[in-house]
Amino acid sequence: MRRIRMRLAAALLLLPLTAAALLCGCRDASERDAVKIGVSVYKGDDTFISAMMESFLAAAAQFEQETGVRVNISVADAGESQKTQNEQIERFLSLDYDVLCVNLVDRTDAGSIIDRARDADVPVVFFNREPVQEDMLKWDKILYVDSDARESATLEAQIVIDRYNEDPRSIDANGDGIIQYVMLEGERRHQDAIIRTEVSVETLKEAGFLVEKLDGGIANWNRDQAAALTETYLTAYGDKLELIICNNDDMALGAADAVAWLGLDFSNIVGIDGTEKGLAAVREGKMLGTVVMDLPAHARAIFESAYAFATGADPADALEVREDRSVRIPMYIEARKPVE
Ligand code: GAL
């Protein structure tokens, strides 16, 4: 299989791929010369999103190889500007792309993109940054692919619960019967940040734990911002701090960086994503655990929905589409093994 490594730094990349495999329920693909898929991501150097794009291109390349259908994919980096993303969408539409895959910059701002796409009759697969329900109901040729934020937070809390059950003192180090924690949050209006922050703690409480939030802050999914915040927390709270809950792995890695700077022995840090570096940190004992998003499954679902739409088929023929027009990808826990 041809493997394509990509850098999303460039404003617009044109990546013609050649592949095969398939997805049932679609119009005879051989009738088509090539399927054109325009992708716009909110921020090309986001660790999780760039890994997802790599998987997406690999899925398309495999499809080309297996079916002989040509797939032209163009990936644009919106650089965190909704205005830039809207321009990229306009450009795809003017170039007669068959389908759009959009990782919104501002998830509350999908309305105008949907209107423009509907006018041009070009379906849209949104992913990772969830449009509000009102926008999702605007048209039937749109779909949202992601994992379930509640489930990711429940599993993140489960990592802590499992560890506590194996060895209570490894979590409640001071033995006061309360877990003292800090929370590192992603972007303010991102559905994952909001839900993960709330549900992780809710799950601990429902499992019968007493918890005390010592502090917390927004680190925007970012490793450096998380490291800076964690350094202040570790300095302020010292041994009192028993757990660092992070909305994603990059922030968990930042927390681990701060631990290393201060020369501390502390690794009760949990994250979500299952990035390569996150998983390595779990293996190396720098993090307690992470919730692994199945990136190849995300990528396949986005590609299969896009291809189905592009060929006039219904993605629901190949994928399990929920009533709210979403496709949800399962995930699993990867946790540090207890010390014997
Ligand atoms: C989250 C992910 C973060 C970040 C964000 C971008 O689902 O956990 O690491 O990639 O999406 O929208």
Side-chain angles (χ1 to χ4, degrees):
M1 187 182 80
R2 188 152 66 101
R3 192 154 170 76
I4 295 170
R5 295 219 141 242
M6 57 171 310
R7 302 242 175 281
L8 293 172
L12 190 68
L13 301 174
L14 256 187
L15 298 167
L17 306 169
T18 351
L22 206 229
L23 329 165
C24 31
C26 303
R27 192 173 88 201
D28 182 2
S30 59
E31 290 168 18
R32 303 182 66 88
D33 203 22
V35 169
K36 291 199 325 185
I37 304 177
V39 185
S40 172
V41 296
Y42 91 103
K43 183 179 180 224
D45 63 1
D46 176 294
T47 308
F48 181 64
I49 296 298
S50 59
M52 189 186 287
M53 280 301 101
E54 209 173 295
S55 270
F56 178 75
L57 294 174
Q62 186 183 352
F63 173 79
E64 277 195 321
Q65 207 174 60
E66 290 171 13
T67 62
V69 176
R70 279 198 306 122
V71 182
N72 288 336
I73 298 181
S74 189
V75 181
D77 176 2
E80 293 187 274
S81 156
Q82 189 57 60
K83 185 170 167 287
T84 303
Q85 182 161 68
N86 292 347
E87 287 161 8
Q88 290 166 345
I89 302 296
E90 286 300 337
R91 183 168 149 76
F92 287 139
L93 294 175
S94 72
L95 292 172
D96 286 333
Y97 273 71
D98 297 304
V99 62
L100 304 174
C101 297
V102 182
N103 175 223
L104 286 165
V105 175
D106 180 349
R107 57 180 284 262
T108 63
D109 208 6
S112 58
I113 292 179
I114 296 170
D115 290 344
R116 287 291 300 118
R118 190 181 42 201
D119 290 348
D121 198 25
V122 175
V124 190
V125 179
F126 291 100
F127 62 98
N128 172 262
R129 299 165 75 89
E130 187 164 9
V132 294
Q133 197 56 27
E134 190 190 327
D135 286 334
M136 286 303 292
L137 295 173
K138 277 187 139 192
W139 193 29
D140 55 358
K141 290 191 188 166
I142 54 180
L143 203 70
Y144 178 64
V145 178
D146 201 356
S147 47
D148 184 284
R150 285 192 80 81
E151 189 186 340
S152 66
T154 308
L155 291 177
E156 186 177 42
Q158 195 59 47
I159 297 171
V160 179
I161 297 169
D162 290 348
R163 188 74 184 107
Y164 182 93
N165 289 339
E166 281 153 8
D167 175 9
R169 273 302 180 101
S170 69
I171 298 292
D172 182 17
N174 58 22
D176 67 352
I178 306 170
I179 303 178
Q180 277 86 15
Y181 73 96
V182 299
M183 175 73 71
L184 294 179
E185 300 180 33
E187 287 161 280
R188 195 177 292 277
R189 289 198 297 168
H190 195 299
Q191 80 283 341
D192 286 345
I194 298 165
I195 297 171
R196 288 173 184 174
T197 297
E198 194 185 307
V199 176
S200 53
V201 174
E202 211 175 76
T203 307
L204 290 173
K205 287 184 186 161
E206 277 166 11
F209 289 92
L210 296 177
V211 293
E212 180 188 354
K213 183 175 180 180
L214 295 178
D215 222 324
I218 293 177
N220 294 306
W221 311 120
N222 181 283
R223 183 168 179 160
D224 294 341
Q225 290 180 36
L229 277 179
T230 307
E231 191 180 16
T232 62
Y233 300 149
L234 288 168
T235 309
Y237 303 106
D239 283 350
K240 215 176 167 218
L241 176 48
E242 294 170 326
L243 174 68
I244 304 180
I245 306 176
C246 308
N247 286 170
N248 80 339
D249 277 358
D250 267 6
M251 295 191 295
L253 290 164
D257 290 341
V259 168
W261 294 340
L262 297 170
L264 302 172
D265 179 19
F266 180 89
S267 57
N268 283 346
I269 305 171
V270 282
I272 294 177
D273 278 348
T275 62
E276 250 174 60
K277 287 186 179 165
L279 288 169
V282 175
R283 279 194 304 274
E284 290 159 10
K286 295 177 184 162
M287 278 170 61
L288 180 57
T290 182
V291 180
V292 187
M293 300 296 147
D294 185 343
L295 273 186
H298 275 261
R300 275 195 311 274
I302 299 168
F303 178 73
E304 290 184 10
S305 325
Y307 186 82
F309 271 144
T311 52
D314 183 353
D317 292 340
L319 295 153
E320 198 185 315
V321 180
R322 297 188 183 182
E323 245 177 58
D324 64 357
R325 311 202 56 75
S326 73
V327 174
R328 301 288 171 176
I329 311 297
M331 61 204 91
Y332 57 92
I333 285 175
E334 201 59 53
R336 194 180 67 211
K337 305 285 169 279
V339 185
E340 296 299 323

